[in-house]
Amino acid sequence: MTQLLNLELYKFLMIFLRVGSAIMLMPGFLTSYVNTKLRLSIALAITVVLMPVLAEKLPSVPDNFASAFQILLIEITYGVFLGIFMQMLFSALNLAGNIAGQAIGFANAQMFDPAFQQQSIVIDTFLSITALTVIFITDLHHLMLSAVVDSYTLFPVGTSLPVGDFSNSLSQTLNQSFIMGFKIGSPFVAFTIVFYVGMGLVSRLMPQLNIFFLSLPLQIYLGLGLLFITLPIMVLWFSKYFEDGLQPLLR
């Protein structure tokens, strides 16, 4: 009976470390609105559900403590990698929000962003909260959890860490997120160019006009109008990118 309990505890711990590490860093679960106890409760509940499913994929208990401790550290690393990978996918919207905030003129208007646990531009925070809402409404968080479950097929327990593959994957994901963030914010890049060129021409044609007094309110009104028009497309584009980005982790 004691051996059986130790085996079940070992299996539970192996699943919990990977699942818990990933949930602690996943978009939506990392926000300040979800406290640590709730995240821990979610990880424990998911671990209990996954134990019968993943029991066959888990290796036997190692003979010594050093080997067992090494496997547990590797499981934590796998979970951290999955969480960081998903955060990098989500960071595409962070860049788009910064571009939009700079274009509208809200660069100095900052507030706390619960998605990234830091101060950010108001528009960036608004887009992050909107994207998180869409992720949970469209059940994309189920896809994130499925990626964690399927990672046991992609990265079997007890195997050595593919450090090179991790580095390549994270670097490529960061590069793609930067490109996608720039694409999502491209309407505001075009708006900035057109607006400042127009203001420059007006200042040359009418030197007596106080261009600084006129430009800021006009920039805010036009920028917010552009945001309201492009917001649905931006969120849908990001949702599709986020969903496609999780596909390599699904098996």
Side-chain angles (χ1 to χ4, degrees):
M1 188 65 181
T2 303
Q3 293 178 353
L4 180 61
L5 289 176
N6 291 335
L7 178 61
E8 293 299 319
L9 180 61
Y10 178 73
K11 291 180 178 179
F12 177 85
L13 192 59
M14 278 197 294
I15 298 175
F16 173 74
L17 289 177
R18 183 183 297 198
V19 173
S21 301
I23 287 179
M24 290 294 177
L25 297 174
M26 279 184 186
F29 297 96
L30 182 64
T31 60
S32 58
Y33 300 136
V34 183
N35 58 42
T36 306
K37 292 182 179 179
L38 183 57
R39 274 180 278 176
L40 181 61
S41 301
I42 294 173
L44 290 173
I46 294 176
T47 302
V48 171
V49 173
L50 292 179
M51 277 194 67
V53 180
L54 300 176
E56 297 179 354
K57 298 182 180 180
L58 301 179
S60 58
V61 181
D63 298 332
N64 53 69
F65 175 77
S67 299
F69 186 70
Q70 181 181 5
I71 292 177
L72 295 180
L73 287 180
I74 291 175
E75 289 303 298
I76 294 175
T77 306
Y78 281 135
V80 171
F81 165 75
L82 294 172
I84 293 176
F85 181 85
M86 296 175 191
Q87 282 289 348
M88 283 187 175
L89 291 176
F90 194 83
S91 65
L93 201 65
N94 181 251
L95 177 60
N98 275 278
I99 293 174
Q102 296 282 348
I104 296 174
F106 285 171
N108 294 325
Q110 298 188 357
M111 64 181 297
F112 182 74
D113 186 355
F116 290 94
Q117 306 291 315
Q118 62 182 6
Q119 291 290 118
S120 61
I121 300 174
V122 173
I123 302 299
D124 183 15
T125 304
F126 171 71
L127 290 178
S128 297
I129 295 175
T130 304
L132 287 176
T133 304
V134 171
I135 285 175
F136 282 91
I137 288 177
T138 58
D139 290 337
L140 283 179
H141 63 291
H142 293 171
L143 202 62
M144 291 192 290
L145 296 176
S146 297
V148 177
V149 176
D150 291 346
S151 68
Y152 285 91
T153 303
L154 191 61
F155 308 119
V157 179
T159 57
S160 58
L161 287 172
V163 180
D165 293 339
F166 279 2
S167 302
N168 292 333
S169 178
L170 292 178
S171 60
Q172 292 176 5
T173 303
L174 186 60
N175 181 41
Q176 293 172 0
S177 295
F178 178 82
I179 295 174
M180 179 55 63
F182 191 82
K183 288 181 179 179
I184 295 174
S186 58
F188 295 93
V189 176
F191 166 76
T192 303
I193 295 173
V194 173
F195 180 79
Y196 281 108
V197 169
M199 289 296 101
L201 292 176
V202 170
S203 66
R204 287 295 183 181
L205 295 174
M206 301 178 63
Q208 69 276 14
L209 181 66
N210 190 343
I211 194 65
F212 295 103
F213 180 78
L214 175 66
S215 63
L216 185 57
L218 188 61
Q219 181 182 9
I220 293 174
Y221 289 140
L222 293 178
L224 289 177
L226 179 62
L227 177 64
F228 293 149
I229 294 173
T230 59
L231 179 62
I233 301 174
M234 292 170 64
V235 174
L236 288 176
W237 199 355
F238 167 75
S239 301
K240 186 65 169 61
Y241 167 73
F242 191 78
E243 181 179 0
D244 293 341
L246 292 176
Q247 294 301 322
L249 298 178
L250 300 175
R251 290 293 183 270

